[in-house]
Amino acid sequence: MLELEEVSKRFGDQVAVGPLSLKIAQAETTVLIGPSGCGKSTLIRLMIGLLAPDTGSVIFDGESLAVADLPTVRRRMGYVIQEGGLFPHLTARRNVTLMARHLGWDPGRIESRVAELATLTHFPLDALERYPVQLSGGQRQRVSLMRALMLDPEILLLDEPLGALDPMIRAELQGELREIFRALNKTVILVTHDMGEAGYIGDTIVLMREGRIVQQGGLRDLVETPAEDFVHRFVHAQRGAREILGGGG
Amino acid sequence: MRRALQCPARGALVGLLAVAACSTPIDGRPVVVVGSKAFTEAVVLGEVIAQLAEHAGADADHRRQLGGTRILWEALLAGEIDVYAEYTGTIVEEILAATDVAGDDQVGRELERHGVRMSGHLGFNNTYVIGMLEDVAEELEIRTVSDLAAHPALRFGFSNEFMDRGDGWPSLRTRYALPQENVRGLDHDLAYRSIESRSIDVIDLYSTDAEIEFYGLRPLEDNLGHFPAYQAVLLFRDDLVERAPAVVEAILGLEGAIDEGEMVAMNARAKLELVPESVVAAEFVEARFGLQTEVVLEGLLDRFARNLRGHLWLVSVSLLAAIIIAVPLGVVAARLPRLGLGILGVVGIVQTIPSLALFVFMIPLLGIGAPPAIAALFFYSLLPIVRNTHAGLMSIPAAYLDSAAALGLTPAARLRLVELPMASVSILAGIKTSAVINVGTATLAALIGAEGFGQPILTGIRLADESLIMEGAVPAALLALAAQGCFELAERWLVPRGLRIESGA
């Protein structure tokens, strides 16, 4: 479905990504993780064509994004960014339905799809008439997810979707996201810098460093058979409270 | 027919605006358009010419108090006016300054090359005179211009025209070796007020000014013979002779018909007694030619309504056109940064062109009256709107632009559904700024004969009549406030509600 072939991207003199190749597993959740500046966000932006690679190609459904009609291809992808990127001039409902209305869906179909998504994301229907500034951070992310899923895309891309939320909400949404991804059975790509989140949500974890893929596999692979010392250090860099109490007490 | 035929020739730029400016003869009477400069003597003479033309069987239209020699001359060449009263000195020093001519014969031949004819002298010489308050002159023992050289601290205030012209201040200073440094350019009518309030000491006068006596001024003797003669003459278009021979014959009856005393008296009637110029002119025409003119005076309310209509027309047409052009320009500037720099540069430069200069540029293209004023106001309205549209679009955070693109919206749909609504606050602010500037600048349009609240201001300044100035200035200010208020109301339904909510629910 989605495949990167020898893709590289530089900003000025700085190599941001690659060259690297990556095949995204169908109907699984792939998590891109790595320290700040490792190129994970650049990679996801390359996948949806917000950036064009300097070399190599991004192949979606057998066609390179370089030659595809981007607006058409993007309607088959859903995209969620940190803080949601909800348009402030539109209500939650109009944010969610913007693209469907633009494509001329009939109101009944739009209405039932919105109801379906609200149930899926546990978003209260009456809050749909609010504007983004009137919603909490968690609610905004739910609306953003509804917007990304509105056209029932084949693939869902999320760039640090929970990055701006406080820990309680974040933990709650992590659980919900995992449920939603399981229920949808879609190809999902999620960018995060949180190892716990990656291990909890992801089927496959792609660990990146300085624009390259260091290791790719399940959480167990990364923990038990780290490809290099960096993997070991990265996986163990984030300590939990229990670990702190155990180590310091 | 001439006036009707010249309309299509002006080209697409003019468009509909020009239609209003073109008048056609009614029932075969020739249409004669008289111009006059923005000082009282010129307006009185313009009225006299217009009334004589009416008596000679023409439909006369008097485009009164236009803003200066250049504007009258350009309008005459463009066929916007057919005749106006001018002075020989001005013709030589200003209109034909580029050619070296002397003597009426040579001047007449040179004018003919432009398709313009000059009448004989009307009978009075309205030359420049340097003057100061009688008591100050007495105290400093100043009788001649030469005497000024001994008093370098004197403050000079000269009319703007006098500051620039060939026989004006620069050459007067050289001729008389005047040492004064404190020299200001100001409106002629304001100069009288300034000297009365003793904020300046020396001004330039016209020898037929009624105020010389009124303000107790001493005209200083031009002992070196610096100033040329300013004999009043008529300038009229060549084609008037064929088109309206009876009119030409009638107005040429003014040759030798007005002596200096009569002109000073008429100026005093108009300016000091505030008798309307049309009445002053009618008295003269009756006394001199035995022709009776029925003068219809416009009431305050009619005048106000006419000025309001004129002003609203200028502002609304120019602002609407500016919005239609400037918003897309702002979008282009935001989309294509390199071209955008050019666009912002050009509309910025347009803003720096002085309005009077822009008006003069417009006359050959659009004539006088509302069309050139609307064009100039249009150009002045562009910058705030283009700039704010550009800034509004550029300030949209990348996250929204990415989200819109990632949704699969085409660039055009992104602009319409996301970017323009998000920039609407900024765009409206730009339009509001333009509207306020536009309402104010539109008062200057009176200088090229456009109707609006500038007319009573111009007349008020000319007649030193503060209530008339207020009649224009106060409504113009209120109109600017009203425009601002309207756009603030418009914000309520043009700016999406989501952008007006301050904080969370």
Side-chain angles (χ1 to χ4, degrees):
Chain A
M1 176 100 285
L2 189 65
E3 201 175 340
L4 307 179
E5 279 177 0
E6 289 302 312
V7 164
S8 73
K9 179 74 189 173
R10 32 171 81 234
F11 298 115
D13 298 338
Q14 200 72 34
V15 178
V17 158
L20 60 77
S21 295
L22 177 65
K23 209 168 180 161
I24 301 295
Q26 192 102 18
E28 274 192 16
T29 300
T30 303
V31 176
L32 304 180
I33 191 168
S36 301
C38 72
K40 54 191 191 295
S41 274
T42 303
L43 202 60
I44 203 169
R45 290 163 61 79
L46 284 164
M47 289 176 182
I48 194 163
L50 287 174
L51 292 173
D54 296 328
T55 64
S57 45
V58 180
I59 314 278
F60 176 72
D61 199 14
E63 189 183 26
S64 166
L65 290 189
V67 297
D69 178 52
L70 279 176
T72 313
V73 169
R74 284 168 178 159
R75 287 167 206 165
R76 298 168 61 193
M77 301 177 167
Y79 182 65
V80 177
I81 60 171
Q82 191 172 338
E83 308 221 44
L86 293 179
F87 304 127
H89 62 292
L90 299 176
T91 59
R93 179 188 296 281
R94 294 187 84 78
N95 260 287
V96 172
T97 59
L98 178 67
M99 197 62 220
R101 280 182 290 122
H102 181 63
L103 293 176
W105 284 24
D106 75 68
R109 181 176 172 206
I110 292 177
E111 192 52 45
S112 64
R113 180 67 180 156
V114 170
E116 207 176 300
L117 291 172
T119 312
L120 179 75
T121 58
H122 304 294
F123 188 82
L125 273 173
D126 59 341
L128 278 171
E129 308 312 326
R130 296 199 192 140
Y131 287 92
V133 288
Q134 298 168 312
L135 299 172
S136 69
Q139 284 175 321
R140 279 204 283 272
Q141 286 315 97
R142 289 171 209 268
V143 175
S144 188
L145 185 60
M146 286 169 70
R147 184 172 72 177
L149 291 171
M150 183 69 194
L151 302 187
D152 197 16
E154 292 147 62
I155 186 166
L156 184 62
L157 302 114
L158 305 96
D159 188 358
E160 300 263 9
L162 310 179
L165 302 177
D166 68 59
M168 294 270 287
I169 309 270
R170 185 173 179 138
E172 181 190 328
L173 270 176
Q174 280 169 356
E176 285 185 29
L177 273 185
R178 187 160 83 154
E179 296 311 308
I180 290 169
F181 295 162
R182 296 251 158 94
L184 290 171
N185 200 29
K186 282 185 192 300
T187 306
V188 175
I189 300 152
L190 180 136
V191 167
T192 182
H193 59 268
D194 182 319
M195 195 60 213
E197 187 170 297
Y200 182 63
I201 295 178
D203 299 311
T204 304
I205 296 171
V206 177
L207 179 56
M208 294 182 66
R209 183 193 190 191
E210 289 170 4
R212 290 169 189 280
I213 296 171
V214 181
Q215 189 170 0
Q216 181 176 355
L219 179 62
R220 189 167 296 277
D221 298 330
L222 267 64
V223 173
E224 294 179 355
T225 54
E228 53 183 85
D229 184 47
F230 168 75
V231 179
H232 179 79
R233 279 188 288 126
F234 187 84
V235 170
H236 292 92
Q238 292 166 344
R239 44 180 83 82
R242 200 180 295 269
E243 184 188 350
I244 297 166
L245 288 176
Chain B
M1 271 321 282
R2 182 184 64 82
R3 304 191 61 80
L5 280 175
Q6 72 190 8
C7 287
R10 284 185 193 153
L13 172 69
V14 186
L16 280 172
L17 301 183
V19 173
C22 295
S23 44
T24 42
I26 309 158
D27 57 41
R29 287 163 69 94
V31 174
V32 174
V33 185
V34 182
S36 61
K37 293 193 203 180
F39 57 90
T40 301
E41 179 171 298
V43 176
V44 171
L45 288 173
E47 276 298 316
V48 169
I49 299 167
Q51 289 177 16
L52 287 176
E54 288 272 353
H55 285 297
D59 275 319
D61 182 14
H62 183 192
R63 314 297 295 265
R64 42 173 56 209
Q65 60 190 21
L66 301 171
T69 303
R70 211 70 238 170
I71 286 173
L72 269 299
W73 176 245
E74 293 287 342
L76 188 67
L77 292 185
E80 285 290 317
I81 60 173
D82 297 304
V83 52
Y84 79 100
E86 190 49 280
Y87 304 92
T88 52
T90 306
I91 297 171
V92 172
E93 299 293 333
E94 224 179 313
I95 295 177
L96 302 178
T99 51
D100 194 21
V101 288
D104 286 354
D105 291 346
Q106 237 184 317
V107 169
R109 275 196 300 278
E110 188 59 32
L111 288 173
E112 265 173 47
R113 292 187 31 209
H114 295 281
V116 172
R117 295 202 193 179
M118 183 174 80
S119 73
H121 299 169
L122 303 190
F124 63 93
N125 178 15
N126 186 6
T127 189
Y128 276 109
V129 179
I130 301 301
M132 49 197 302
L133 288 174
E134 184 65 45
D135 57 342
V136 179
E138 189 59 39
E139 194 189 319
L140 299 176
E141 296 184 351
I142 297 173
R143 300 193 183 286
T144 68
V145 178
S146 288
D147 292 342
L148 289 171
H151 305 278
L154 287 174
R155 296 158 300 171
F156 288 7
F158 293 136
S159 62
N160 293 315
E161 265 195 53
F162 188 77
M163 290 296 283
D164 299 331
R165 32 192 313 140
D167 59 345
W169 169 240
S171 63
L172 184 77
R173 180 215 293 260
T174 315
R175 186 66 167 270
Y176 283 96
L178 296 177
Q180 284 79 5
E181 293 290 334
N182 192 346
V183 183
R184 281 193 291 149
L186 72 174
D187 186 88
H188 186 59
D189 292 291
L190 294 178
Y192 285 118
R193 314 251 209 125
S194 304
I195 198 165
E196 190 189 20
S197 67
R198 293 172 194 266
S199 58
I200 52 178
D201 306 306
V202 177
I203 63 175
D204 59 309
L205 309 164
Y206 304 121
S207 54
T208 53
D209 277 356
E211 290 88 342
I212 297 179
E213 210 181 308
F214 182 78
Y215 288 108
L217 299 174
R218 173 186 289 186
L220 304 181
E221 188 196 331
D222 180 17
N223 54 314
L224 297 183
H226 172 72
F227 292 116
Y230 282 80
Q231 291 289 344
V233 292
L234 303 179
L235 292 184
F236 55 96
R237 288 178 60 87
D238 238 352
D239 58 8
L240 193 64
V241 181
E242 280 171 43
R243 205 155 50 83
V247 170
V248 172
E249 195 186 331
I251 61 178
L252 288 181
L254 285 171
E255 289 177 351
I258 312 173
D259 67 24
E260 219 154 291
E262 281 172 305
M263 196 66 242
V264 172
M266 283 197 276
N267 286 340
R269 281 280 277 161
K271 208 162 173 186
L272 304 178
E273 296 169 32
L274 294 179
V275 176
E277 293 87 357
S278 50
V279 174
V280 176
E283 290 167 356
F284 170 80
V285 168
E286 184 173 4
R288 171 68 59 189
F289 300 100
L291 298 168
Q292 292 207 356
T293 311
E294 195 187 332
V295 177
V296 182
L297 292 175
E298 199 176 24
L300 178 66
L301 262 178
D302 288 343
R303 191 166 63 212
F304 178 81
R306 188 166 51 85
N307 289 333
L308 179 64
R309 268 200 310 277
H311 213 92
L312 284 177
W313 174 249
L314 294 180
V315 171
S316 53
V317 175
S318 62
L319 189 63
L320 191 68
I323 294 169
I324 290 169
I325 300 296
V327 172
L329 274 182
V331 171
V332 171
R335 280 285 150 87
L336 308 169
R338 201 165 293 194
L339 184 60
L341 269 174
I343 290 173
L344 289 173
V346 170
V347 296
I349 288 167
V350 167
Q351 202 79 2
T352 66
I353 302 174
S355 39
L356 197 55
L358 193 54
F359 290 151
V360 173
F361 290 149
M362 293 290 163
I363 291 174
L365 295 169
L366 298 169
I368 53 174
I374 287 172
L377 292 172
F378 160 77
F379 285 121
Y380 286 132
S381 297
L382 289 178
L383 181 67
I385 306 177
V386 172
R387 196 168 274 277
N388 275 40
T389 303
H390 176 260
L393 291 174
M394 296 306 278
S395 67
I396 298 173
Y400 300 124
L401 302 178
D402 284 350
S403 292
L407 272 180
L409 290 169
T410 56
R414 267 178 257 163
L415 183 67
R416 185 167 56 85
L417 298 172
V418 176
E419 297 174 43
L420 285 180
M422 288 193 65
S424 58
V425 177
S426 175
I427 295 172
L428 260 178
I431 294 174
K432 200 159 42 173
T433 307
S434 275
V436 172
I437 294 175
N438 194 316
V439 170
T441 312
T443 56
L444 293 177
L447 292 171
I448 45 172
E451 282 185 352
F453 291 121
Q455 290 291 356
I457 295 177
L458 215 52
T459 312
I461 293 175
R462 180 163 68 70
L463 297 174
D465 182 342
E466 263 145 28
S467 66
L468 256 178
I469 295 177
M470 289 302 161
E471 191 184 314
V474 171
L478 292 178
L479 203 56
L481 285 177
Q484 174 144 358
C486 280
F487 282 106
E488 258 146 42
L489 280 179
E491 248 175 38
R492 304 211 173 167
W493 56 273
L494 282 177
V495 173
R497 209 171 80 82
L499 297 180
R500 288 181 277 117
I501 300 171
E502 287 298 323
S503 59

